[in-house]
């Protein structure tokens, strides 16, 4: 089974990071984190791979790394996707619970909502159908189960709009004119298409950004 270039790259990046952490800390927590990340990468690969995965060019790969980087200035590091609250409430208190929490979020949110919406949004962008893209944007925002989860998506969406403007990426008028809330996931489709990032690679990058 072939692993997409983007997946191999993020796996290599993760291993380098983990090795550095082990050297500096030598703690059991690092080992546990490594196991969890490895498990999550396996899930992401399974969710995003298809038998006809398109090749990713070097320029596309570099742009994908930029989009999926934790240093992307969209504020993703400030949100825990509900995990912080789960820890506070005692729903997640050990490695097994953390693994189950991450697995549930990947399977029930990423695989069933975010990635299908990303695929539909990318297709709409490819067809220059902004009305259809708006439908995907509205759909994913309506799927957010709480006000906090919706705010996470829209706050990152607003930040991504500002960033993409500075990078001269063509954006929908809906986003440029601030006609309503913009989902980070739906907006992710615009740079992905313009930078010629195939869906499978874009989905892998989006999932990695969520995980990290």
């Amino acid at each position: 089974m072939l692993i997409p270039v983007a997946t191999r790259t993020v796996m290599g990046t993760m291993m380098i990071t983990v090795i550095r952490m082990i050297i500096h800390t030598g703690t059991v927590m690092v080992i546990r984190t490594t196991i969890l990340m490895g498990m999550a990468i396996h899930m992401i690969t399974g969710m995003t791979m298809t038998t006809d995965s398109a090749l990713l060019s070097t320029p596309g790969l570099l742009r994908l790394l930029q989009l999926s980087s934790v240093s992307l200035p969209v504020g993703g590091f400030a949100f825990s996707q509900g995990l912080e609250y789960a820890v506070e409430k005692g729903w997640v208190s050990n490695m097994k619970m953390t693994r189950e929490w991450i697995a549930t979020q990947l399977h029930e949110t990423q695989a069933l909502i975010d990635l299908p919406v990303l695929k539909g949004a990318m297709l709409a962008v490819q067809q220059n159908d902004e009305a259809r893209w708006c439908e995907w944007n509205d759909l994913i925002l309506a799927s957010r189960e709480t006000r906090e989860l919706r705010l996470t998506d829209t706050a990152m969406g607003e930040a991504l709009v500002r960033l993409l403007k500075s990078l001269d990426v063509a954006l929908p008028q809906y986003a440029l004119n601030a006609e309503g809330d913009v989902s980070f996931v739906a907006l992710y489709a615009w740079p992905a298409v313009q930078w010629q990032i195939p869906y499978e690679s874009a989905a892998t990058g989006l999932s990695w950004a969520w995980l990290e």
Side-chain angles (χ1 to χ4, degrees), residues 76-90:
F77 62 87
F79 302 102
S80 70
Q81 305 292 333
L83 181 57
E84 183 178 0
Y85 183 78
V87 171
E88 181 181 332
K89 288 295 184 179

Side-chain angles (χ1 to χ4, degrees), residues 41-59:
I41 286 175
H42 178 73
M43 290 182 184
I44 291 172
T45 302
M47 291 191 308
T48 60
M49 280 193 62
T50 65
T51 56
D52 59 345
S53 298
L55 294 177
L56 180 63
S57 66
T58 298

Side-chain angles (χ1 to χ4, degrees), residues 12 33 43-44 50 56 63 68 79 87-88 96 100 117 131-132 142-143 168 177 212:
T33 301
M43 290 182 184
I44 291 172
T50 65
L56 180 63
R63 286 299 193 180
S68 57
F79 302 102
V87 171
E88 181 181 332
K96 180 176 181 293
E100 292 174 349
V117 167
R132 183 57 177 155
S143 74
D168 295 324
N177 298 334
E212 195 172 29

Side-chain angles (χ1 to χ4, degrees), residues 4-5 40 48 78 81 94 122 133 159 161 193 197 202 204-205 208:
V5 173
T48 60
Q81 305 292 333
N94 55 47
M122 288 183 66
W133 175 85
V161 168
V193 170
I197 301 172
T204 300
W208 174 258

